Structure formats: C-alpha cells, structure tokens
Amino acid sequence: MPPGADSDLLMGERIMNVGVPKERRPFEFRVGLPPAGAAMFVRNGHTVYVESEAGGGAGFSDSDYARAGATIAYAPEEVFGRADLVLKFARPLAHELELLPPGVAFAGFLHLAAARQDKIDVILAKRMTVLAYEQIEEDDGTRPAMAPLSRIGGRMVVQTAAALR
C-alpha cells in the first residue's frame, strides 16, 4: 500500500471483519454462513471469525471453516466484538445484542415484527444496520428467503401430524 493509505482499504473497498457465531437457541442447528461463503469473503480480502462448533449442527466442522480461510474463535465475545458484519441464522438473544459493538451490521432471520421492544431499543441505541431476511421482498410481493423454509415446513407438517396422532 502506498504511504499514508488507510490499512482498512483494499482496492478502494473497506475490509470487513465478518462474525459467524454459534446459534444458542434450543434445537437450532443451522449456521449463518457455510464454509463456501466464508471462502468467498476471504477471497475478497475480508476476515471471517467463526465461533468454534458454529457449523456442527449443519454438518460443517471447524476444519472446514479453517480450510476456507476463516479464523476459528473460541468465545462468542470474540466473534461479536470483532465483527463489522454478523451473520446469524436465528434472531439474536438479548445477551448477544449486548455483545455487539455500536454501528455493527447484522443479518439473519430477525423476526423484527414480533421482537420484544427491549431488543428493538438496543438495536436503535447501538445504531445497528440490520437486514432481516424474512423482510426481503421482490417487486411481485414474494419473499425469496421464505420460499425454501415454507417448502420444508409443508413437508414436515405431515410427518409431525402423524407422529402426534
């Protein structure tokens, strides 16, 4: 880099620290970013911090993420505290919101329409940029992130009903 250049810039773009925490909700086994996604961020000059065992429930090991170029973190405080962008699958727990630094970007299925007011207050107070996947809407009114989840739910309802019979 030329003298005086900002070390956070790569070809005119800001380098991000991307955080992928382990989901802590009961029976939640999904992960906010697969190893292939981590590799894409790393190839573009970003640093990806993945909490140890974050992908285990989805079939991804820590070594899968390490091979993709991600850094394995062993504490949620490290993942949340270093991140410019946090990628989670499920909505954040209250203590996870507290770990986030001011101004962070956060993406996942956030269910903001049903969120408790105290969580909304934290998001606003920290001036977070949030992207709720379930709110992404196409021009025709469809919600592309919800379509695969709806299909899965439709297939599961028959099996669940049969088990409860």
Side-chain angles (χ1 to χ4, degrees), residues 96-118:
E96 291 175 324
L97 285 173
E98 295 299 331
L99 293 174
L100 291 166
V104 72
F106 192 100
F109 285 95
L110 305 179
H111 307 286
L112 293 175
R116 293 189 342 232
Q117 186 60 48
D118 60 330

PDB file of all heavy atoms in Angstrom, residues 96-118:
ATOM      1  N   GLU A  96     -26.722 -11.602  23.320  1.00  0.00           N
ATOM      2  CA  GLU A  96     -25.934 -11.471  22.090  1.00  0.00           C
ATOM      3  C   GLU A  96     -25.980 -10.036  21.581  1.00  0.00           C
ATOM      4  O   GLU A  96     -24.965  -9.498  21.141  1.00  0.00           O
ATOM      5  CB  GLU A  96     -26.452 -12.435  21.023  1.00  0.00           C
ATOM      6  CG  GLU A  96     -26.192 -13.887  21.349  1.00  0.00           C
ATOM      7  CD  GLU A  96     -26.818 -14.841  20.360  1.00  0.00           C
ATOM      8  OE1 GLU A  96     -27.926 -14.560  19.848  1.00  0.00           O
ATOM      9  OE2 GLU A  96     -26.199 -15.892  20.097  1.00  0.00           O
ATOM     10  N   LEU A  97     -27.139  -9.406  21.664  1.00  0.00           N
ATOM     11  CA  LEU A  97     -27.247  -7.999  21.252  1.00  0.00           C
ATOM     12  C   LEU A  97     -26.330  -7.119  22.095  1.00  0.00           C
ATOM     13  O   LEU A  97     -25.724  -6.175  21.590  1.00  0.00           O
ATOM     14  CB  LEU A  97     -28.694  -7.514  21.360  1.00  0.00           C
ATOM     15  CG  LEU A  97     -29.649  -8.003  20.284  1.00  0.00           C
ATOM     16  CD1 LEU A  97     -31.080  -7.584  20.611  1.00  0.00           C
ATOM     17  CD2 LEU A  97     -29.244  -7.483  18.912  1.00  0.00           C
ATOM     18  N   GLU A  98     -26.226  -7.425  23.369  1.00  0.00           N
ATOM     19  CA  GLU A  98     -25.371  -6.638  24.261  1.00  0.00           C
ATOM     20  C   GLU A  98     -23.895  -6.762  23.879  1.00  0.00           C
ATOM     21  O   GLU A  98     -23.123  -5.837  24.098  1.00  0.00           O
ATOM     22  CB  GLU A  98     -25.588  -7.048  25.718  1.00  0.00           C
ATOM     23  CG  GLU A  98     -26.972  -6.741  26.248  1.00  0.00           C
ATOM     24  CD  GLU A  98     -27.328  -5.260  26.233  1.00  0.00           C
ATOM     25  OE1 GLU A  98     -26.418  -4.403  26.338  1.00  0.00           O
ATOM     26  OE2 GLU A  98     -28.523  -4.956  26.107  1.00  0.00           O
ATOM     27  N   LEU A  99     -23.499  -7.909  23.312  1.00  0.00           N
ATOM     28  CA  LEU A  99     -22.104  -8.124  22.918  1.00  0.00           C
ATOM     29  C   LEU A  99     -21.712  -7.366  21.649  1.00  0.00           C
ATOM     30  O   LEU A  99     -20.531  -7.196  21.376  1.00  0.00           O
ATOM     31  CB  LEU A  99     -21.843  -9.621  22.697  1.00  0.00           C
ATOM     32  CG  LEU A  99     -21.915 -10.528  23.921  1.00  0.00           C
ATOM     33  CD1 LEU A  99     -21.779 -11.991  23.503  1.00  0.00           C
ATOM     34  CD2 LEU A  99     -20.840 -10.157  24.932  1.00  0.00           C
ATOM     35  N   LEU A 100     -22.701  -6.939  20.879  1.00  0.00           N
ATOM     36  CA  LEU A 100     -22.415  -6.287  19.597  1.00  0.00           C
ATOM     37  C   LEU A 100     -21.919  -4.860  19.786  1.00  0.00           C
ATOM     38  O   LEU A 100     -22.475  -4.110  20.581  1.00  0.00           O
ATOM     39  CB  LEU A 100     -23.665  -6.275  18.722  1.00  0.00           C
ATOM     40  CG  LEU A 100     -24.106  -7.643  18.217  1.00  0.00           C
ATOM     41  CD1 LEU A 100     -25.523  -7.577  17.661  1.00  0.00           C
ATOM     42  CD2 LEU A 100     -23.144  -8.140  17.159  1.00  0.00           C
ATOM     43  N   PRO A 101     -20.883  -4.481  19.037  1.00  0.00           N
ATOM     44  CA  PRO A 101     -20.395  -3.103  19.133  1.00  0.00           C
ATOM     45  C   PRO A 101     -21.339  -2.132  18.425  1.00  0.00           C
ATOM     46  O   PRO A 101     -22.082  -2.533  17.522  1.00  0.00           O
ATOM     47  CB  PRO A 101     -19.037  -3.166  18.424  1.00  0.00           C
ATOM     48  CG  PRO A 101     -19.114  -4.343  17.521  1.00  0.00           C
ATOM     49  CD  PRO A 101     -20.070  -5.307  18.141  1.00  0.00           C
ATOM     50  N   PRO A 102     -21.319  -0.877  18.807  1.00  0.00           N
ATOM     51  CA  PRO A 102     -22.145   0.125  18.118  1.00  0.00           C
ATOM     52  C   PRO A 102     -21.798   0.192  16.626  1.00  0.00           C
ATOM     53  O   PRO A 102     -20.641   0.034  16.236  1.00  0.00           O
ATOM     54  CB  PRO A 102     -21.777   1.437  18.818  1.00  0.00           C
ATOM     55  CG  PRO A 102     -21.248   1.017  20.146  1.00  0.00           C
ATOM     56  CD  PRO A 102     -20.575  -0.305  19.920  1.00  0.00           C
ATOM     57  N   GLY A 103     -22.809   0.397  15.811  1.00  0.00           N
ATOM     58  CA  GLY A 103     -22.608   0.580  14.378  1.00  0.00           C
ATOM     59  C   GLY A 103     -22.434  -0.688  13.576  1.00  0.00           C
ATOM     60  O   GLY A 103     -22.237  -0.633  12.365  1.00  0.00           O
ATOM     61  N   VAL A 104     -22.524  -1.842  14.207  1.00  0.00           N
ATOM     62  CA  VAL A 104     -22.328  -3.110  13.512  1.00  0.00           C
ATOM     63  C   VAL A 104     -23.500  -3.380  12.557  1.00  0.00           C
ATOM     64  O   VAL A 104     -24.606  -2.890  12.760  1.00  0.00           O
ATOM     65  CB  VAL A 104     -22.174  -4.264  14.537  1.00  0.00           C
ATOM     66  CG1 VAL A 104     -23.491  -4.585  15.221  1.00  0.00           C
ATOM     67  CG2 VAL A 104     -21.595  -5.499  13.888  1.00  0.00           C
ATOM     68  N   ALA A 105     -23.229  -4.140  11.512  1.00  0.00           N
ATOM     69  CA  ALA A 105     -24.288  -4.627  10.615  1.00  0.00           C
ATOM     70  C   ALA A 105     -24.610  -6.057  11.026  1.00  0.00           C
ATOM     71  O   ALA A 105     -23.716  -6.830  11.387  1.00  0.00           O
ATOM     72  CB  ALA A 105     -23.822  -4.575   9.165  1.00  0.00           C
ATOM     73  N   PHE A 106     -25.886  -6.394  10.991  1.00  0.00           N
ATOM     74  CA  PHE A 106     -26.345  -7.687  11.481  1.00  0.00           C
ATOM     75  C   PHE A 106     -27.363  -8.233  10.493  1.00  0.00           C
ATOM     76  O   PHE A 106     -28.297  -7.540  10.118  1.00  0.00           O
ATOM     77  CB  PHE A 106     -27.005  -7.480  12.847  1.00  0.00           C
ATOM     78  CG  PHE A 106     -27.272  -8.741  13.601  1.00  0.00           C
ATOM     79  CD1 PHE A 106     -26.424  -9.145  14.604  1.00  0.00           C
ATOM     80  CD2 PHE A 106     -28.371  -9.530  13.300  1.00  0.00           C
ATOM     81  CE1 PHE A 106     -26.660 -10.311  15.309  1.00  0.00           C
ATOM     82  CE2 PHE A 106     -28.615 -10.691  13.987  1.00  0.00           C
ATOM     83  CZ  PHE A 106     -27.756 -11.080  15.002  1.00  0.00           C
ATOM     84  N   ALA A 107     -27.186  -9.492  10.060  1.00  0.00           N
ATOM     85  CA  ALA A 107     -28.118 -10.083   9.094  1.00  0.00           C
ATOM     86  C   ALA A 107     -28.531 -11.469   9.552  1.00  0.00           C
ATOM     87  O   ALA A 107     -27.718 -12.232  10.073  1.00  0.00           O
ATOM     88  CB  ALA A 107     -27.469 -10.155   7.715  1.00  0.00           C
ATOM     89  N   GLY A 108     -29.795 -11.783   9.352  1.00  0.00           N
ATOM     90  CA  GLY A 108     -30.339 -13.095   9.698  1.00  0.00           C
ATOM     91  C   GLY A 108     -31.851 -13.031   9.676  1.00  0.00           C
ATOM     92  O   GLY A 108     -32.444 -12.026   9.286  1.00  0.00           O
ATOM     93  N   PHE A 109     -32.473 -14.123  10.072  1.00  0.00           N
ATOM     94  CA  PHE A 109     -33.925 -14.140  10.238  1.00  0.00           C
ATOM     95  C   PHE A 109     -34.211 -13.517  11.595  1.00  0.00           C
ATOM     96  O   PHE A 109     -34.076 -14.160  12.634  1.00  0.00           O
ATOM     97  CB  PHE A 109     -34.461 -15.576  10.139  1.00  0.00           C
ATOM     98  CG  PHE A 109     -34.474 -16.085   8.739  1.00  0.00           C
ATOM     99  CD1 PHE A 109     -33.425 -16.844   8.257  1.00  0.00           C
ATOM    100  CD2 PHE A 109     -35.524 -15.780   7.880  1.00  0.00           C
ATOM    101  CE1 PHE A 109     -33.417 -17.311   6.949  1.00  0.00           C
ATOM    102  CE2 PHE A 109     -35.532 -16.233   6.572  1.00  0.00           C
ATOM    103  CZ  PHE A 109     -34.483 -17.003   6.102  1.00  0.00           C
ATOM    104  N   LEU A 110     -34.582 -12.251  11.606  1.00  0.00           N
ATOM    105  CA  LEU A 110     -34.653 -11.471  12.838  1.00  0.00           C
ATOM    106  C   LEU A 110     -36.047 -11.372  13.441  1.00  0.00           C
ATOM    107  O   LEU A 110     -36.183 -11.023  14.606  1.00  0.00           O
ATOM    108  CB  LEU A 110     -34.091 -10.066  12.601  1.00  0.00           C
ATOM    109  CG  LEU A 110     -32.675 -10.031  12.038  1.00  0.00           C
ATOM    110  CD1 LEU A 110     -32.216  -8.599  11.822  1.00  0.00           C
ATOM    111  CD2 LEU A 110     -31.715 -10.773  12.940  1.00  0.00           C
ATOM    112  N   HIS A 111     -37.084 -11.624  12.667  1.00  0.00           N
ATOM    113  CA  HIS A 111     -38.466 -11.582  13.160  1.00  0.00           C
ATOM    114  C   HIS A 111     -38.742 -10.274  13.898  1.00  0.00           C
ATOM    115  O   HIS A 111     -39.289 -10.275  14.999  1.00  0.00           O
ATOM    116  CB  HIS A 111     -38.759 -12.801  14.041  1.00  0.00           C
ATOM    117  CG  HIS A 111     -38.438 -14.095  13.371  1.00  0.00           C
ATOM    118  ND1 HIS A 111     -39.220 -14.625  12.357  1.00  0.00           N
ATOM    119  CD2 HIS A 111     -37.408 -14.957  13.523  1.00  0.00           C
ATOM    120  CE1 HIS A 111     -38.696 -15.755  11.938  1.00  0.00           C
ATOM    121  NE2 HIS A 111     -37.585 -15.974  12.619  1.00  0.00           N
ATOM    122  N   LEU A 112     -38.367  -9.168  13.290  1.00  0.00           N
ATOM    123  CA  LEU A 112     -38.496  -7.865  13.941  1.00  0.00           C
ATOM    124  C   LEU A 112     -39.944  -7.491  14.235  1.00  0.00           C
ATOM    125  O   LEU A 112     -40.214  -6.808  15.219  1.00  0.00           O
ATOM    126  CB  LEU A 112     -37.849  -6.781  13.070  1.00  0.00           C
ATOM    127  CG  LEU A 112     -36.328  -6.894  12.931  1.00  0.00           C
ATOM    128  CD1 LEU A 112     -35.820  -5.849  11.946  1.00  0.00           C
ATOM    129  CD2 LEU A 112     -35.644  -6.763  14.276  1.00  0.00           C
ATOM    130  N   ALA A 113     -40.877  -7.955  13.417  1.00  0.00           N
ATOM    131  CA  ALA A 113     -42.293  -7.625  13.635  1.00  0.00           C
ATOM    132  C   ALA A 113     -42.792  -8.183  14.966  1.00  0.00           C
ATOM    133  O   ALA A 113     -43.722  -7.639  15.560  1.00  0.00           O
ATOM    134  CB  ALA A 113     -43.140  -8.155  12.490  1.00  0.00           C
ATOM    135  N   ALA A 114     -42.169  -9.255  15.442  1.00  0.00           N
ATOM    136  CA  ALA A 114     -42.592  -9.879  16.694  1.00  0.00           C
ATOM    137  C   ALA A 114     -41.552  -9.704  17.802  1.00  0.00           C
ATOM    138  O   ALA A 114     -41.686 -10.295  18.872  1.00  0.00           O
ATOM    139  CB  ALA A 114     -42.845 -11.370  16.466  1.00  0.00           C
ATOM    140  N   ALA A 115     -40.551  -8.887  17.564  1.00  0.00           N
ATOM    141  CA  ALA A 115     -39.466  -8.723  18.543  1.00  0.00           C
ATOM    142  C   ALA A 115     -39.937  -7.949  19.766  1.00  0.00           C
ATOM    143  O   ALA A 115     -40.802  -7.075  19.679  1.00  0.00           O
ATOM    144  CB  ALA A 115     -38.289  -8.001  17.900  1.00  0.00           C
ATOM    145  N   ARG A 116     -39.330  -8.273  20.898  1.00  0.00           N
ATOM    146  CA  ARG A 116     -39.613  -7.528  22.124  1.00  0.00           C
ATOM    147  C   ARG A 116     -39.061  -6.111  21.989  1.00  0.00           C
ATOM    148  O   ARG A 116     -38.026  -5.887  21.367  1.00  0.00           O
ATOM    149  CB  ARG A 116     -38.972  -8.223  23.324  1.00  0.00           C
ATOM    150  CG  ARG A 116     -39.596  -9.569  23.640  1.00  0.00           C
ATOM    151  CD  ARG A 116     -39.108 -10.153  24.951  1.00  0.00           C
ATOM    152  NE  ARG A 116     -37.892  -9.589  25.476  1.00  0.00           N
ATOM    153  CZ  ARG A 116     -36.825 -10.301  25.852  1.00  0.00           C
ATOM    154  NH1 ARG A 116     -36.826 -11.602  25.743  1.00  0.00           N
ATOM    155  NH2 ARG A 116     -35.755  -9.704  26.339  1.00  0.00           N
ATOM    156  N   GLN A 117     -39.731  -5.173  22.591  1.00  0.00           N
ATOM    157  CA  GLN A 117     -39.340  -3.767  22.488  1.00  0.00           C
ATOM    158  C   GLN A 117     -37.934  -3.528  23.033  1.00  0.00           C
ATOM    159  O   GLN A 117     -37.186  -2.720  22.475  1.00  0.00           O
ATOM    160  CB  GLN A 117     -40.342  -2.869  23.216  1.00  0.00           C
ATOM    161  CG  GLN A 117     -40.084  -1.382  23.021  1.00  0.00           C
ATOM    162  CD  GLN A 117     -40.150  -0.954  21.561  1.00  0.00           C
ATOM    163  OE1 GLN A 117     -41.086  -1.304  20.847  1.00  0.00           O
ATOM    164  NE2 GLN A 117     -39.155  -0.205  21.103  1.00  0.00           N
ATOM    165  N   ASP A 118     -37.526  -4.240  24.080  1.00  0.00           N
ATOM    166  CA  ASP A 118     -36.188  -4.012  24.634  1.00  0.00           C
ATOM    167  C   ASP A 118     -35.099  -4.383  23.628  1.00  0.00           C
ATOM    168  O   ASP A 118     -34.041  -3.753  23.587  1.00  0.00           O
ATOM    169  CB  ASP A 118     -35.997  -4.733  25.967  1.00  0.00           C
ATOM    170  CG  ASP A 118     -36.166  -6.242  25.891  1.00  0.00           C
ATOM    171  OD1 ASP A 118     -36.941  -6.736  25.049  1.00  0.00           O
ATOM    172  OD2 ASP A 118     -35.532  -6.947  26.704  1.00  0.00           O
TER     173      ASP A 118
END
